[in-house]
Amino acid sequence: MEWSLLFVCNSILLGAGLAMDAFSVSLADGLNEPGMKRRKICGIAGVFAFFQAIMPIIGWVCVHTVLQYFQVFERLIPWIALLLLLFIGGKMLAEGVRNKGGVEGSSDITVNTLLIQGIATSIDALSVGFAIAGYGLAMAIVCALLISAVTFLICVCGLLIGKRFGTKCSNKAAILGGVILIVIGAEIFVSGVF
């Protein structure tokens, strides 16, 4: 493919498609922490955007270097995403049930949790490396940056929506957020395996 408006549009649409899992997790994060500040919103969206950018590049590199190893790993992607999101979602669900009284200061999202969420929601983007394998390195990087920018915007929207509704239903937010993450994990698994 050559540099064109079609390339930009394809990259933006690819970013929107890849960002849907990150949007759902952002929504859950906003529900879980309704008092989240603007700086943290940008930080969380930035982490999701970073992983959505880096994973296609890693996939692209794998296609151009160690393709045979990546094909074996590709079958594990749905399992890894399922396990990571079940772990995080289960933890949020358990915390929500324990704090059933609706304590206003719901648990903050830790750096470790955020990194796991970023990896879990973007691991399927590794396979985008196959889709962009025909691009040169510069085009692959620009595509990844466009995917990242779209993901950032979509995740900010998800966090703001979750934050708004999390304020209204703070006593059930952690439970709802945990259920959302578990459902996302199951959806990634089912669509990746079947």
Side-chain angles (χ1 to χ4, degrees):
M1 180 174 261
E2 295 181 12
W3 296 96
S4 66
L5 183 60
L6 180 62
F7 163 75
V8 173
C9 290
N10 284 345
S11 298
I12 290 170
L13 290 173
L14 192 57
L18 288 172
M20 288 302 106
D21 290 339
F23 170 79
S24 299
V25 174
S26 296
L27 192 65
D29 286 347
L31 283 168
N32 190 46
E33 195 177 327
M36 191 181 299
K37 304 287 185 220
R38 193 174 299 165
R39 182 175 167 187
K40 189 165 187 179
I41 289 171
C42 289
I44 290 172
V47 168
F48 287 122
F50 169 77
F51 280 108
Q52 289 288 9
I54 201 72
M55 291 296 187
I57 295 300
I58 291 170
W60 184 89
V61 168
C62 287
V63 167
H64 290 277
T65 57
V66 289
L67 179 62
Q68 64 275 12
Y69 300 115
F70 183 69
Q71 286 175 334
V72 171
F73 178 72
E74 186 177 24
R75 285 182 267 151
L76 299 176
I77 289 173
W79 291 94
I80 294 168
L82 175 69
L83 292 174
L84 291 173
L85 289 173
L86 281 177
F87 173 74
I88 296 166
K91 187 176 172 190
M92 281 176 66
L93 191 59
E95 287 174 7
V97 169
R98 264 186 297 213
N99 298 332
K100 213 172 186 177
V103 180
E104 184 66 32
S106 60
S107 64
D108 288 345
I109 295 131
T110 65
V111 172
N112 287 339
T113 299
L114 185 58
L115 291 176
I116 291 170
Q117 288 176 347
I119 292 168
T121 58
S122 65
I123 199 160
D124 59 336
L126 274 172
S127 60
V128 171
F130 287 124
I132 64 172
Y135 295 175
L137 179 59
M139 285 183 82
I141 291 171
V142 169
C143 179
L145 291 174
L146 288 169
I147 289 169
S148 178
V150 169
T151 300
F152 181 84
L153 294 174
I154 288 174
C155 288
V156 166
C157 291
L159 286 160
L160 292 174
I161 292 168
K163 180 181 166 182
R164 176 135 177 127
F165 288 105
T167 303
K168 294 184 190 300
C169 60
S170 61
N171 59 339
K172 305 220 184 321
I175 294 170
L176 182 58
V179 170
I180 289 171
L181 292 180
I182 290 168
V183 168
I184 294 167
E187 184 273 326
I188 290 171
F189 177 75
V190 169
S191 64
V193 171
F194 300 108

